[in-house]
Each structure stands twice: as C-alpha cells, then as structure tokens.
Amino acid sequence: MTPPPIDRRTLLGMIAAGAAATVAGCSKPDETIHPMVDQPDGTRPGETRRYATALPFAGYGRGVTGLVVNERPVKLEGLAAHPASLGATDVFTEVSILDLYDPQRLKAPVGPAGPSSWPAAARAMRERRSGQQGGRLALLTGRITSPTLLARIAALKAVYPGARHVRWEPFDDDAALAGAEAAFGRRLTLRPRLAEADVILCLDADPLGPGAEQVALARAWATRRRTGAMPRLFAIEPSPTATGAMADARAAATPREIALACRFLHARLAGAAPPALPPEVERVLLAAVAALAAARGRALVLAGDRQPAGVHAFAAWLNGQLGAPIDHIAPVDPDPAPHRAGLAALARDMHAGTIDTLIVIDANPCYAAPPALRFAEAMARVPLTIAATRMPDETSMRAKWRLPLSHPLEGWHDWRAPDGTASIAQPLIRPMWDTRTPSDVVDLLIDPAAGPASYARVRETWASLDAAGWRAAVAAGIVADTARAPEPVPAARLVLPPVPPPATAIALTIAPSPALHDGRWSANAWAQECPDPLTKEVWGSSARMHPDDVAALAAEDGDLIRIGQGGAVVTLPVRAVAGQARRTVTLLAGYGRDGAGAIADGIGANAFALADHGPVRVERVGTRRPVVTTQHQFALAGELDKLFPVLAPQAAMPARPPLPSLLPNPPAKGSPPRQWAMAIDTDVCIGCNACVVACQAENNVPAIGPAEMAVGRDMHWLRVDRYETAHATGFQPVPCMQCEAAPCEPVCPVEASVHDAQGLNVQVYNRCVGTRTCQANCPYKVRRFNFRDYAGASLWGDAADASVTAQRNPDVSVRARGVMEKCTYCVQRISAATRDEDAGGMPGPVATACQSACPTQAIRFGTLDDAAIREARADPRHYALLEELGTRPRTTYLARRKNGG
C-alpha cells in the first residue's frame, strides 16, 4: 500500500521532532509583533530585544518582558506596567522559559491508532457531532479570563446549544466567594491594599507566598515596611508559610482552632468571654486584637483560601468594623458556578453515560480531581475523549485523542489580571512543533476546516482599538483602563463560623507547592530543583508534622509513614517541623505524577489522592527514604546572631571600626573604572527563590537531577538560606560576596580566580584545572564545581534535549566539566552597558538578574558611588556576613527587623 503524500507542514513537524532541527528552526512569528516602547531603533544582530507579552497563572494573566536574541526567547523578566508583575517575577514565571524548549512537549496530534494530524482529529470530532445539538458534548477547562477564549466558547455554544462548559482549578476561590456572598449578599473578590496597612492579621492566609498575586502583594507589603513606622504582621496557621516566617508574631493552629480564633476575636471586641484556646494562640490573638483596635482604618484581616466560607465571611465583617484598606470588585472569572460542584456534576453525568464527547483543554482532572469522583473511571465511559495539553499528563494518557497545545509564547492570547487589567500577549517565536492555541482548538470544534488563527481571533476581540491603539497596547503589554473599578458594598453581616467538633484523628492540610503549584510545573527540571523556601527540599517533598507527633510515631526525619484517608493511601518521608500545629499533617501538591515524563514521574506522592474530607490515619512504615535537602550543605560556621542579626524597629547594628581597603585601585592613566557592589535587605526578603531561578536562566546554570543533588553538588550560583533564631525567622540570599580580600584568589595555582579593575572576583573558566582549592578556602560556600558534564547531560530520559540548548544565553559561556563556577554579578550585563557607553551611548543603570526578579526589591546593585548603595551602607542596619574574617565583601546586608509580638 502506498503511503499518502506528506505535505510541507507535516514534514516540517516531523523534522522538528529531531532535536537538532528544533534549534535550527527558531524564527520570529509571521504576524507583526511590537517591541516595547523603550526599545532603541537599529538594534544590531546578536543584541537583546525586549517584547512585552504575558503568561497565564491558573487562568490569570501576568505581564512579562521577553528577552529575545536572534529570534530566540532566552529569558523572561517582569513587566513594569502590569499590575501583577510590576517589573518583577516569581519562580513560576522564571521557569516558564524552560517549558518552551522542553523536549517532552507534545509535538503533533496522537489518535487511537497512534501519531496522526489535526485534520484527522477534526474528522473524528465532526463524525461524533454530526446531526447533534451538542447536548452530550462537554468542554472542561481551567479558569478562563481570556476575552477571546470566552468568546470562542460562546460561539461553540451557539453552534451546539446543549454543549456544556465546566471550568475547574484544583486550588480555587470557592470559599472566598461564598464568604463574600454570605457577608454582602453577592459574590465579590477582595482586594487588600497592603501598602496602606499598619496591622495585618492572617488567618491561614499567605499573601507573601506562591500564587497569582505574590509579586503584587509582596511589593505592597515591602513598600509599607520601608516607609514610616514599621507595620505589624500576625499569623495564625496550621503549617509554616512565607507570611508566617515574616510575621512579628505567629502561632500554629489546627483548622478547628482557627474557627475558634474567629469567635475569640469577636468576643474580645464585643467585651464578652472568649472561648478557650491553646496559650500560644491566645497570646498572639490578644496582641493582634490590641493592635487592630489601635489601628482602625489601617488594620486588615485576611482569610486563606483553604478556610471555609464562614471564616471568610467573619473576616469581611471584621474588616468592615475596622475600616480596613480593602477594595471589592466583581469577580474577574465570569463563571458563577463553584469549581468543585461543576466538576462533580460533570463526573456524575459521565458515569451515567449522558456525555458522549469530552474535550479537556489545559486541565488534568485524572491527577488532581477529588478521588471520590473517580474521574479516570468516568472518562473510560465516554466514547470520545480529547485532551489538549502541552505536556503529557495523566488525563491525556487516558484520552483517545491527544492534541498538542502551543506554549503561550508561541501564539496570540489575551488574559485579565486578578484586578481585571487586560493584556494582549504577543508571540515571541513561531510554534516549534505542530501545535495550536486553546482558541484554535475550540475553533476546530466549531469548524473542522478551521486552521490556526490566534492573531485574527485576538484582533477581532479588540476590534475597538484602532491601529495605533492596537500597537500601543501590544507594545506596552496592557490595555489601558481595563482594571475593574471597586464596587460599593453594604455593611457586612456578622457570620460566626461553625466550630468543628474536637478532632479524634489527625487533620490533613494540602498546600500548593512553592515550585510546582498544583503540578502544572512538575515536568520542569528547574522547578523540581528549586529548593523549598522553608525546608530546602528538592526533587520531592515530605509529610510535615509537629515534632511531638513524629515522636509519637517513634519516627525520625526521613522515615517513611503511611497516610490513609478512606480507601486511598500515600507513603512519604516524614519531617518534623517546629512551627507545625499539633495533630496536623501537611502535604504539598504537585508530586506523585504518573505519565508526565522523565522529570516528574516517580517523584514524591500525590497529595490530591487524599483530597476527600474525612479522618486521616498515619502510621510508620519502618523504612527510610529521606528527601534531598540543601541547607545543611551550606551551613556557615559562625555565631547565629552574627550570621543573621535581628533588630528591634529602631535599633542599629553595633558600631564597628572601619577595615582598611586596598581597593579601588585606579590605573595610572585615565579615570578609575566603576566599582560594583550589592546590598541585600533581609527585612523584606520573603525567600521566594525568584532570584535563584532568574540567575539560573540568565547564566546557563544546568539542572543536575536528584542523584547529584543528593550528594551535595548543587550548582545554583545563588542560594537563599533560611534562619530560625530565638527572635525571628527569616531569609538571607547568598551570592558570591565579591570579597576585596578574597580568600579564594591566593590559593589558586593557575590564577583562575582573580580580581578585575572593577572590583569583581571573576572566574577564568578556560584557565581552571579543577583543583577546588578556591572552594575549600571560601568561607561563604558560594563556589560550585562541575563534577560532570552537566550542560551536556540529559535529564529527560529518551527525549532528545538539544532543544534545551536554544534557551541558553549566548552572552554567557557554557562551562565544561571540571571547572569552578560562581556568581559574577552578571558581568555580561555590566559588559553590555560598558560597550554601549564606549560606543557613545549614555551610561545607564545595570540590573543583575536576581535584582530584576526580586518582588520586594530587596536587592540593590550599583557602584560604590551610586545613591542606592551609599544609602544602604549608611543604614544603621548594615552589616557584612562573617565580617570578622576581614574579607571585606562587596555584597553586604541590612538586618532583619521585628516588632515585639
């Protein structure tokens, strides 16, 4: 039988599946894309061009700046004009560039008989829909705020009036919206103004932790912390969070005790007798009540998404009593149906056989849906199942058709931010494989002959913008004046949350992973290797319990425990966490994947398997499997109070006599070179690791995998140490100190570690012979050795990984095996600025990758003469790490501050 002829598109798609052709095929999109408005004209080949675009996070848009070199996006930074990024990033934004080049991506449609094509998938859909009105058609997606995608779904319903659209997110805001409805009579989204709050009480809320608004909320909190009297932060939570770590007073509480805390607050404000609570919780609440009452008009109470609607309703009432700095807006997500109820109703109909076609777009219910729904079993009862996704996952494995979605940087999109601001996201590169956008997939359901048309659809949505307005919106990254206006609200009704009966079993809490979220970044090697901010675990996670509960199991850190709920059981290593509430166990989502590729599969256990409500059983298994953790590898030798000083709000570091300096050492002729320095404010560092991954993306730092990490060979050039002192918990980013008297330099036998004229401790890679004497002599433990050819090795199993090389920054050398690596203050950026200045341009500020990423602007960089560095070094909180060694570091710190609890 003669095989059918292969058209050009199919042939190119097949070639693109080969790794070498993948890199060679990088090119700019067909449509006109617009550089940012500050892009200089006449940019030369090989130089970096900047484009404004956006990326989704759980359906919400967040503005990013794409750095493109020779038609290849190589780095993502924040978009200053966007309210959800404000020029900064988080871990999820930084790792998303690796997803673009991931060799595990689906590259072409796959049908029941194997590799197929889009026309064949369209025929299968047309045959199933022929003569029907769509009453048995269901479309399942994640949260959608895209005006274009919503319009295409509306068009689909017009063609098939009975078609059903269900949206669902594993971590939802159902309780928050229900609480607002109980308090105000309608669904509203709360928008706290943290920059105006003098006192904040968090009831299992983590505004500084991972989420769609981490950057914006953390920036607002840090801004307020730098101005005027230092605000006070209180946290009541079951398990430690970033917010709890930065709180002035924190108490661990079970879910039942948080409900009691609401009644305690009400009783104290009403002058009634409060309910009994554990002494530590009561102490924090008493301090919080006094602070809230004294700061009316500038006091704020936040409830976490995991808390029931009653806690949210009470928080709304209390905020009204306090005159809290809060806005309320109509929900940006237009779907009024609760996430869990919509998914449960769909699963019931699938089990009943009333759905004959299921299309899942960018969602993974077979992994994250509540186990009681038996979603995978329900899918097997549906005659035609189609999953559209970028990466293989548990749902696409069970679907009869797998359709490859484009990466967001490969097509035209639009999204709304959590405040409603719209972004038009332009592509930065043509699709690398035979993929389509979500709106293209919906168009295929409407018209099987439809081809890729994401640009036309987005332009149609924004037809109200003329040519100039369109170009301005695309170049700026946002559509002006599209944010939701605050709505007036009536006085909130008082709702006291019901108090659950005393627990006889251990309570379970499931939290999103700070690196993998709900699992959508599980296949990303950078995300897997990014240390947990609190435990420093990588490539897996533990079951976190109070030390007394661990002792009651006769277990130690790393011992395996079995956690059961109903008929489901997961097995994980246990970790004793001092800040954990007693009789609670916390699991992180995103692990325990099956069918998601070589990076994700077999790492940890799936916490969603225990997502049903009910008593939890915990028992020790009897074997060990410790999770890899990094902090012990970098523990510095010194007194804790000197390594991480904690001061009262107005206190200062002890006076120190100035140390002599041999630098700067100007040359004999000409003006002296600029001398570079960095200052890091630990008072506003939230440990989010955005700086760590930004450095990795900028400097071609490879991921090395769990086996290498387990033996202490972490290659990150920058780390964030977590300290827990008698006074406070906090975070300390540690790059190279760029010592003026660098201990690493005199011991190198080949002078590979040397100082340059700008005061930088540079590493000459092609001179290094790998003696590692410099590493042994560094008291800060910031040097990394390439034990293996990490840049050339593959973590992706059988998947060819040459596509990953397309992400690498051409301005930074890719290091070979057997050389020492370390932070260089992004010397390539300094060099680029110097070249521009030498060419007659105006010298501008240089921003390192870590500085650009930081949500709280904790990192300052510049010359010793720059105002920001002079101001930091004159601050009473200024100190140098291990200053007593006399290394005279150019990287210095501002001490953490803490109000009395």
Side-chain angles (χ1 to χ4, degrees):
M1 178 177 179
T2 303
I6 300 176
D7 60 21
R8 180 175 178 274
R9 173 180 289 277
T10 302
L11 177 61
L12 290 178
M14 294 169 64
I15 294 174
T22 296
V23 180
C26 297
S27 57
K28 67 191 300 183
D30 293 323
E31 301 88 1
T32 301
I33 60 176
H34 303 287
M36 295 179 67
V37 292
D38 61 351
Q39 181 74 39
D41 292 331
T43 303
R44 297 181 294 275
E47 292 189 341
T48 301
R49 293 178 67 85
R50 292 174 172 264
Y51 294 88
T53 186
L55 290 174
F57 184 101
Y60 293 114
R62 300 193 299 175
V64 298
T65 302
L67 277 60
V68 180
V69 179
N70 293 337
E71 320 304 345
R72 290 184 296 113
V74 298
K75 179 75 170 61
L76 298 176
E77 295 190 344
L79 182 64
H82 197 280
S85 63
L86 301 173
T89 60
D90 62 1
V91 165
F92 305 114
T93 299
E94 293 290 348
V95 302
S96 292
I97 191 68
L98 185 62
D99 286 340
L100 173 64
Y101 299 104
D102 196 316
Q104 302 169 109
R105 284 179 56 187
L106 299 180
K107 299 174 176 63
V110 176
S116 188
S117 64
W118 287 98
R123 285 195 299 270
M125 287 185 262
R126 181 172 64 241
E127 291 167 2
R128 176 61 57 180
R129 301 265 53 82
S130 178
Q132 295 188 21
Q133 292 300 308
R136 295 161 63 84
L137 167 66
L139 174 66
L140 174 64
T141 69
R143 180 187 288 113
I144 297 177
T145 64
S146 164
T148 296
L149 187 51
L150 289 169
R152 301 318 302 152
I153 292 175
L156 173 67
K157 290 182 175 180
V159 174
Y160 299 112
R164 180 197 311 187
H165 172 224
V166 176
R167 69 88 174 85
W168 163 78
E169 291 287 338
F171 292 106
D172 56 56
D173 55 356
D174 287 349
L177 293 173
E181 189 166 20
F184 301 113
R186 67 180 188 273
R187 299 165 70 252
L188 293 167
T189 298
L190 176 148
R191 305 282 306 158
R193 304 195 300 273
L194 296 189
E196 301 175 21
D198 287 342
V199 179
I200 305 170
L201 170 61
C202 293
L203 300 173
D204 195 21
D206 188 18
L208 305 183
E213 292 199 89
Q214 180 182 38
V215 172
L217 293 175
R219 175 69 59 81
W221 169 81
T223 299
R224 177 63 190 87
R225 200 164 177 86
R226 290 191 178 102
T227 57
M230 196 172 76
R232 303 185 72 182
L233 176 61
F234 300 88
I236 307 289
E237 57 191 16
S239 191
T241 64
T243 300
M246 302 308 294
D248 298 296
R250 176 194 178 274
T254 65
R256 180 177 187 272
E257 289 165 353
I258 292 176
L260 283 171
C262 294
R263 292 178 174 266
F264 185 99
L265 290 167
H266 175 256
R268 293 293 300 184
L269 292 171
L277 281 166
E280 182 62 19
V281 178
E282 184 173 322
R283 181 187 69 80
V284 173
L285 285 174
L286 286 173
V289 167
L292 291 169
R296 291 181 184 272
R298 300 184 70 86
L300 178 63
V301 179
L302 299 177
D305 284 342
R306 290 180 299 190
Q307 289 302 304
V311 174
H312 286 271
F314 173 76
W317 173 83
L318 185 52
N319 282 322
Q321 299 298 304
L322 296 171
I326 286 181
D327 294 326
H328 297 87
I329 64 172
V332 175
D333 177 357
D335 194 331
H339 292 249
R340 301 180 192 185
L343 185 68
L346 174 61
R348 284 195 301 269
D349 290 345
M350 291 163 62
H351 279 291
T354 59
I355 302 294
D356 74 355
T357 303
L358 173 70
I359 298 98
V360 182
I361 298 179
D362 206 16
N364 191 10
C366 289
Y367 167 71
L373 301 184
R374 297 177 291 124
F375 201 90
E377 181 182 329
M379 271 189 71
R381 297 174 179 267
V382 179
L384 177 62
T385 52
I386 301 168
T389 179
R390 289 201 308 274
M391 301 284 187
D393 59 26
E394 291 79 355
T395 302
S396 65
M397 278 180 59
R398 293 166 171 83
K400 293 179 175 60
W401 280 89
R402 289 188 296 171
L403 304 182
L405 289 181
S406 301
H407 189 279
L409 298 180
E410 294 177 317
W412 290 85
H413 306 268
D414 53 5
W415 291 288
R416 292 192 181 275
D419 73 341
T421 299
S423 292
I424 297 174
Q426 59 183 329
L428 304 185
I429 190 173
R430 287 185 187 178
M432 298 172 65
W433 291 289
D434 190 11
T435 59
R436 298 194 182 184
T437 67
S439 63
D440 289 335
V441 173
V442 176
D443 277 348
L444 204 65
L445 297 171
I446 299 171
D447 178 8
S454 63
Y455 173 80
R457 294 305 184 193
V458 173
R459 189 67 185 93
E460 179 183 326
T461 300
W462 299 98
S464 59
L465 298 174
D466 59 19
W470 167 260
R471 188 184 191 286
V474 173
I478 62 171
V479 182
D481 303 321
T482 51
R484 290 275 200 273
E487 297 194 2
V489 296
R493 292 190 290 270
L494 172 61
V495 177
L496 292 174
V499 178
T504 57
I506 288 180
L508 171 69
T509 61
I510 297 175
S513 163
L516 311 184
H517 190 53
D518 57 8
R520 65 189 70 196
W521 280 280
S522 297
N524 189 295
W526 290 355
Q528 288 279 6
E529 204 154 291
C530 181
D532 183 284
L534 298 168
T535 65
K536 299 303 169 186
E537 295 169 340
V538 296
W539 292 99
S541 183
S542 58
R544 301 171 188 185
M545 301 181 71
H546 190 274
D548 290 350
D549 295 330
V550 175
L553 294 172
E556 298 179 350
D557 282 4
D559 287 347
L560 288 175
I561 61 172
R562 184 179 294 113
I563 307 165
Q565 186 181 57
V569 174
V570 300
T571 302
L572 280 170
V574 69
R575 185 182 184 92
V577 176
Q580 184 80 11
R582 288 176 172 83
R583 303 292 293 164
T584 65
V585 58
T586 297
L587 307 182
L588 295 188
Y591 298 93
R593 302 296 303 277
D594 180 20
I599 299 296
D601 286 356
I603 303 295
N606 182 8
F608 289 122
L610 303 176
D612 288 332
H613 298 291
V616 174
R617 309 176 306 278
V618 179
E619 59 183 352
R620 182 185 172 194
V621 173
T623 55
R624 291 180 56 78
R625 192 182 67 209
V627 176
V628 180
T629 182
T630 62
Q631 177 122 342
H632 68 279
Q633 302 168 11
F634 304 116
L636 301 183
E639 299 177 32
L640 186 59
D641 288 344
K642 290 183 178 179
L643 293 173
F644 190 77
V646 179
L647 305 177
Q650 304 304 321
M653 292 294 295
R656 305 172 301 278
L659 295 173
S661 174
L662 300 178
L663 295 173
N665 185 17
K669 296 181 179 180
S671 59
R674 290 183 284 183
Q675 300 294 308
W676 300 97
M678 180 176 285
I680 302 174
D681 190 351
T682 64
D683 192 48
V684 293
C685 175
I686 58 174
C688 68
N689 284 323
C691 57
V692 174
V693 188
C695 173
Q696 185 168 20
E698 171 74 18
N699 293 295
N700 301 332
V701 176
I704 63 176
E708 292 292 291
M709 292 291 286
V711 294
R713 296 174 178 175
D714 185 1
M715 291 302 294
H716 290 121
W717 288 6
L718 168 64
R719 71 178 190 269
V720 181
D721 289 343
R722 176 180 180 262
Y723 284 95
E724 190 165 348
T725 73
H727 309 291
T729 298
F731 305 97
Q732 184 184 70
V734 185
C736 176
M737 296 291 109
Q738 305 292 340
C739 306
E740 292 182 2
C744 58
E745 293 179 10
V747 298
C748 180
V750 294
E751 293 187 329
S753 180
V754 294
H755 249 79
D756 70 3
Q758 300 180 92
L760 298 179
N761 174 240
V762 297
Q763 189 71 18
V764 185
Y765 298 127
N766 59 359
R767 190 184 294 169
C768 178
V769 295
T771 63
R772 299 174 59 202
T773 51
C774 59
Q775 186 180 44
N777 227 40
C778 175
Y780 303 101
K781 301 185 179 181
V782 295
R783 305 180 78 84
R784 307 287 181 263
F785 185 68
N786 248 322
F787 281 91
R788 301 182 185 275
D789 181 17
Y790 296 127
S794 175
L795 297 178
W796 289 269
D798 294 333
D801 67 339
S803 59
V804 176
T805 65
Q807 180 276 325
R808 291 175 181 163
N809 186 351
D811 289 333
V812 179
S813 62
V814 178
R815 283 76 58 190
R817 176 183 180 182
V819 302
M820 192 63 65
E821 304 183 15
K822 69 172 199 67
C823 158
T824 58
Y825 278 171
C826 290
V827 66
Q828 67 278 4
R829 296 191 176 199
I830 296 173
S831 177
T834 303
R835 291 197 303 269
D836 290 342
E837 188 175 353
D838 291 344
M842 293 295 293
V846 178
T848 62
C850 57
Q851 177 192 15
S852 298
C854 184
T856 60
Q857 299 178 313
I859 300 175
R860 308 183 207 182
F861 178 73
T863 69
L864 291 173
D865 294 329
D866 287 347
I869 298 298
R870 291 202 312 269
E871 179 185 1
R873 293 192 162 212
D875 194 295
R877 297 184 290 123
H878 182 258
Y879 72 99
L881 189 59
L882 297 177
E883 185 174 19
E884 61 273 17
L885 300 181
T887 59
R888 297 195 297 274
R890 285 289 181 88
T891 301
T892 53
Y893 295 88
L894 301 182
R896 167 96 154 87
R897 297 179 297 168
K898 185 185 177 188
N899 279 306

